[in-house]
Amino acid sequence: MAKVIICIATCNRPQGLMRTLESIAALDTRHEVEVVVGDNDAERQEGLVALDRIAKAGYRWPIMGMPVRQRGIPHVRNALTEVALAREGVTHVAMLDDDEAASPRWIDSLVEAAEKWRADVVGGAVLREMDREVDEWAARHPLLQPKSRGASGPVDLIDSTANVLIAARTLRGMGPRPFDERMALTGGSDKQLFTAMKRAGHRFAWSEEAVVTELIPASRVTAKWLLMRGYRVGMTDMIVLRTQHGPLRAAASEAPRIVGGFIVGGLGAVATLDRGKRVERLGKLYRAAGKIAGLTGIHYEEYRKVHGA
């Protein structure tokens, strides 16, 4: 039996956090579970208020919350990691976001995948749920589609903590503050960590059965947000490459993709009257521009703004 500490970073999304905690309370699991929440809202701390309310009502699992005053996702993840790894007997640390709800067998599916494929890190599928009806052009955009690999099994890399299980021994081996705090508001510190784990020889696997559902707010279903998300992903991917391999090697390896992104994105957008296709193709151009930004040290801080409630 595993002992899993479930870590949740939250900021200004008390409704989302309540939905997340309620889904964890409904887990169908044979493993020992504890929950730790890090609230990055230094002023209102609405997440801690919501946690206190649900704990007083009689929560199923041991649960604790803590404020993390320094703003930024990696600061919260590092604080959560420190607390989780200090738990006696911990075997795994799981993470999901405060806009996600776990399916009943989420934890067991992750642990089973880790055992079956002897994986140090296991990621799982993410379904998408819109908080209101959206236009058809937006509904078919790749960034709003389910995150799926089609089958469970070993994979080359996991790139997100939105649905992940990490062996405690592996996380300890990455140092006391494994998430890169220089990426506080840009995003990408999770991919940075997992890329470093890969270079250290750790194994990765994927579980299609370990499902969580992300609630997408209307503020993220706009052409501007979709384009800037592509820009941000391109930027942080380049930051990871630059950190791991150096700027010259990163630039050389990504140059063909950058040029292709500008050509395909620019010409492709002009060549269609379909709004959805135009936004999708422009996204390639924005992603290429983001890679240039990441290479030259320009940082777009996407996570200064919190979406959802």
Side-chain angles (χ1 to χ4, degrees), residues 113-180:
E115 293 173 345
K116 183 175 182 179
W117 289 292
R118 293 185 295 169
D120 303 295
V121 182
V122 180
V126 181
L127 304 181
R128 317 288 190 185
E129 178 185 339
M130 307 300 167
D131 72 350
R132 66 189 68 180
E133 188 174 350
V134 301
D135 293 338
E136 191 273 336
W137 73 264
R140 52 188 165 88
H141 193 282
L143 287 176
L144 300 179
Q145 299 306 302
K147 187 175 181 180
S148 168
R149 301 198 182 203
S152 301
V155 294
D156 186 56
L157 183 71
I158 297 299
D159 61 3
S160 170
T161 55
N163 177 3
V164 73
L165 181 82
I166 310 169
R169 65 181 184 280
T170 300
L171 202 47
R172 284 195 185 95
M174 302 310 293
R177 302 191 74 79
F179 292 97
D180 190 340

Side-chain angles (χ1 to χ4, degrees), residues 11-14 39 41-49 69:
C11 184
N12 301 132
R13 287 203 285 227
D39 191 340
D41 176 6
E43 297 179 1
R44 292 178 292 178
Q45 296 183 9
E46 293 174 308
L48 295 184
V49 173
R69 298 192 178 279

Side-chain angles (χ1 to χ4, degrees), residues 284-297:
K284 298 180 186 297
L285 187 153
Y286 271 69
R287 189 160 183 161
K291 289 183 178 184
I292 293 174
L295 186 63
T296 56

Side-chain angles (χ1 to χ4, degrees), residues 23-24 26-28 96 101-107 109 209-213:
S23 73
I24 293 171
L27 287 175
D28 177 12
L96 77 168
S103 58
R105 295 203 74 254
W106 172 59
I107 283 294
S109 296
E209 296 74 31
V211 176
V212 303
T213 301

